[in-house]
Amino acid sequence: MTTPTLYEWAGGHEALRRLTEVFYDQVLEDPILAPVFAHMSENHREHVAIWLGEVFRGHSRYTDELGGYPAMLSHHLGLGLTEEQRSRWAALIARSADPDLALSGLVDLADAVRENLDDLARLNVHDYAVPISFAGNAILLERFLRHFAGYIDKLHGATTPVTGSFDINLIEREPYGVVGVITPWNGSLVVSGSCVAPALAAGNAVVLKPSEVAPLAALRFGELCMDVGLPAGLVNVVPAGPEGGDALVRHPGIRKIHFTGGDATARKVLQSAAANLTPVVTELGGKSANIIFGDADLDAAAMLSAHQGPLMQSGQSCACASRVLVHESVHDAFVEKFVAVIQASTIGDPLDPQVVCGPVISQGAADRILAVIEQAVTQRSGELIVGGKRLGGELAQGYYIEPTVFIGVDNASALAQTETFGPVVSVIKFSDEAEAVRVANDTNYGLNAFVQTTNLSRAHRVARQLEAGSVWINTFSDISPQGPYGGCKQSGFGRTGGLEGLHEFLQVKNIRIGMR
Ligand code: NAD
């Protein structure tokens, strides 16, 4: 049986084809989107059709037509072509005399990403309104590709002695096969880099499912994979919503799932993966503490806390330092500087290069964040000193929320314990190091922690006591291909980046040769 390619499948579906036409009518009239899409190939348009299928599912006039969509996604994931490409690709890496061919494929892809950074950055803005000044995080995608390309000819194993014999005991690492990568809306390109690059370097094929809310940059990445000559079927970009994600997780041909998103969704993913005992990596949210000690450089700490807190991506970042713990000796001085940085920041149109803080992702998100603020005020979780409202004036039509600061926050409150995923931070005063560590760890999450201090001994001592996958001392959460990133506790398990991130896409085999 021949499995249709993604393109054949989408093109063959009349409802999606019609939606594509509707979409292009709108896009070609849009002064911002039109130039971005102008160069896209016919194949890519078919990809967009699939995305549209999900987007328009939310519009009642299309719901009936597309009722069967998840089932079709499942059908598409027959994965015949992908499986075929996977085995060729894996052979190229593991057995061929010329792994350079695979290596140059990933290097060419990194080059193509570099050449298209501006496009990718603009698509990032359209995907989730991240200010263009940060949207260049496509460069991380390029770095991950270059970094992991270098592993292709270095995927070595080990030999170990065996007690009581001279047997040869080999420990080797092999790819899983076809792996599924599910991304959140805030950063599909970073996740493409941190997951697709090592998955390919390890010899796997990938089905990448970006969020239905933000599929554009990932689709362009998929197109670049094809442009540089990676075989069709090796990297599949399938934008879909929860039903499509669930179909991917349940598919018996998917050998491992890498999921980045919220903890509530992760629980569903783990339940669905249980059907086939499919292994899952989870990269989830956080409620990260940012500890400002009395000896910190307060100007630098204020700058970092504002940008790592409410400003960057309007607080919609898994790494948001949403709990700022401040030593009592510098509390008032720090708060003054912190607020000054926030108030001096430019909020507005994410396509303006001067803007550091844009809107939140949707009306629903804006309503949810404002409800969190209102509840915190009503329950007296802390004292609201800055922000708290939706922005008016010229920005009234957008989903703009003022960067918001509460001081004197009770760490047991919902405000301090729930991931707000918006521009809202809690300031909490502490008296000594032990109290700072205790409050920082008093959360279900464990993704990042930040420490501002000029005392080297304290930096080491505190970092070792913090329950977090990453501890950033006097610096931002600066994700890099060399650093294993991920969480502990309810922030997830498994890592992206570093050798640890590569090993997530390899399974271990032990081969023993008896020596008689
Ligand atoms: P989400 O959990 O709503 O969705 C994540 C992805 O899962 C989307 O692609 C979505 O379509 C898909 N999905 C939804 N239901 C599914 C199901 N039943 N089965 C399979 N897939 C399903 O998260 P979001 O709102 O897109 O992203 C925000 C969350 O992601 C926050 O909690 C944030 O902290 C987290 N995040 C974590 C990291 C990290 O590296 N740790 C990075 C970015 C975002």
Side-chain angles (χ1 to χ4, degrees):
M1 190 191 82
T2 343
T3 309
T5 66
L6 199 54
Y7 313 121
E8 287 163 352
W9 171 78
H13 187 54
E14 268 312 303
L16 291 182
R17 197 192 288 284
R18 277 204 302 284
L19 288 177
T20 314
E21 285 162 15
V22 173
F23 174 72
Y24 277 98
D25 284 350
Q26 289 171 359
V27 160
L28 296 177
E29 284 171 17
D30 182 316
I32 296 168
L33 285 178
V36 180
F37 278 88
H39 64 281
M40 285 195 177
S41 65
E42 283 303 314
N43 272 350
H44 191 68
R45 290 176 181 216
E46 299 294 0
H47 258 147
V48 171
I50 295 177
W51 163 61
L52 277 170
E54 284 292 328
V55 170
F56 281 93
R57 274 168 59 78
H59 294 223
S60 56
R61 66 198 164 113
Y62 291 111
T63 305
D64 292 344
E65 285 183 65
L66 294 169
Y69 182 70
M72 287 188 288
L73 177 77
S74 246
H75 165 73
H76 161 66
L77 291 174
L79 295 178
L81 180 76
T82 299
E83 179 54 38
E84 193 183 310
Q85 294 302 350
R86 180 210 63 78
S87 81
R88 279 200 208 132
W89 178 257
L92 207 60
I93 290 173
R95 309 267 178 253
S96 139
D98 189 12
D100 286 358
L101 209 58
L103 196 154
S104 61
L106 287 201
V107 171
D108 289 351
L109 185 55
D111 290 344
V113 167
R114 165 152 293 209
E115 279 159 27
N116 288 277
L117 281 179
D118 288 349
D119 264 12
L120 289 164
R122 281 181 84 83
L123 291 171
N124 249 346
V125 178
H126 288 300
D127 270 340
Y128 64 107
V130 57
I132 191 100
S133 49
F134 296 114
N137 64 13
I139 203 148
L140 257 183
L141 167 60
E142 182 203 341
R143 283 200 201 120
F144 273 101
L145 285 163
R146 266 187 227 293
H147 177 81
F148 284 110
Y151 276 110
I152 283 184
D153 57 358
K154 301 172 193 69
L155 295 169
H156 57 77
T159 62
T160 65
V162 182
T163 311
S165 88
F166 289 100
D167 286 4
I168 298 173
N169 194 41
L170 301 171
I171 297 160
E172 298 196 343
R173 292 182 196 274
E174 297 180 339
Y176 278 88
V178 183
V179 298
V181 173
I182 299 177
T183 85
W185 52 260
N186 66 332
S188 67
L189 286 183
V190 176
V191 178
S192 299
S194 63
C195 295
V196 178
L200 291 179
N204 302 280
V206 182
V207 178
L208 173 68
K209 193 208 84 59
S211 164
E212 66 279 22
V213 179
L216 299 175
L219 283 165
R220 180 78 180 113
F221 170 64
E223 191 184 39
L224 291 177
C225 291
M226 296 188 59
D227 287 352
V228 300
L230 293 186
L234 190 66
V235 178
N236 305 274
V237 183
V238 187
E243 300 94 336
D246 191 58
L248 183 65
V249 173
R250 289 178 181 277
H251 198 287
I254 296 290
R255 297 300 170 82
K256 183 152 188 179
I257 287 287
H258 196 296
F259 171 81
T260 308
D263 52 301
T265 314
R267 287 184 174 84
K268 293 183 195 159
V269 167
L270 289 168
Q271 277 176 358
S272 297
N276 295 316
L277 295 176
T278 307
V280 182
V281 169
T282 58
E283 295 269 352
L284 312 177
K287 196 73 192 177
S288 301
N290 173 16
I291 309 176
I292 321 287
F293 284 103
D295 55 40
D297 172 341
L298 288 193
D299 290 318
M303 182 65 76
L304 186 143
S305 306
H307 286 276
Q308 188 70 57
L311 299 181
M312 186 176 65
Q313 295 187 183
S314 308
Q316 304 167 112
S317 155
C318 59
C320 177
S322 49
R323 292 183 303 142
V324 187
L325 279 44
V326 192
H327 189 260
E328 58 192 8
S329 63
V330 292
H331 178 272
D332 294 354
F334 168 80
V335 169
E336 193 181 320
K337 288 173 190 286
F338 179 49
V339 169
V341 176
I342 291 172
Q343 289 182 331
S345 63
T346 314
I347 303 173
D349 179 355
L351 283 163
D352 177 345
Q354 302 304 319
V355 161
V356 295
C357 186
V360 298
I361 184 79
S362 62
Q363 176 70 53
D367 292 345
R368 182 181 51 74
I369 296 162
L370 289 169
V372 168
I373 295 170
E374 196 183 315
Q375 187 195 42
V377 171
T378 313
Q379 296 182 346
R380 303 193 179 171
S381 309
E383 182 191 347
L384 176 65
I385 58 161
V386 173
K389 295 192 293 296
R390 195 159 168 164
L391 280 161
E394 280 181 3
L395 301 180
Q397 295 305 312
Y399 309 131
Y400 290 90
I401 310 259
E402 292 174 331
T404 300
V405 180
F406 284 87
I407 60 169
V409 173
D410 175 4
N411 192 56
S413 65
L415 176 66
Q417 291 293 325
T418 313
E419 187 185 39
T420 310
F421 228 55
V424 184
V425 293
S426 305
V427 177
I428 301 169
K429 204 187 273 188
F430 68 85
S431 313
D432 59 32
E433 197 177 293
E435 186 188 3
V437 170
R438 185 181 55 70
V439 175
N441 289 341
D442 185 10
T443 162
N444 287 335
Y445 292 106
L447 190 59
N448 290 280
F450 301 84
V451 179
Q452 319 302 324
T453 179
T454 49
N455 180 329
L456 191 60
S457 308
R458 170 176 278 149
H460 279 286
R461 195 168 55 236
V462 170
R464 276 159 185 74
Q465 296 175 73
L466 291 170
E467 295 170 351
S470 304
V471 179
W472 310 89
I473 296 166
N474 300 329
T475 188
F476 291 89
S477 117
D478 188 9
I479 292 176
S480 71
Q482 296 82 8
Y485 186 77
C488 56
K489 300 201 286 191
Q490 292 186 21
S491 289
F493 39 83
R495 292 293 179 267
T496 54
L499 200 51
E500 292 78 2
L502 180 69
H503 285 172
E504 296 291 359
F505 294 100
L506 289 160
Q507 48 193 340
V508 174
K509 179 182 275 180
N510 185 196
I511 303 171
R512 179 154 157 184
I513 305 170
M515 304 298 282
R516 298 205 172 81

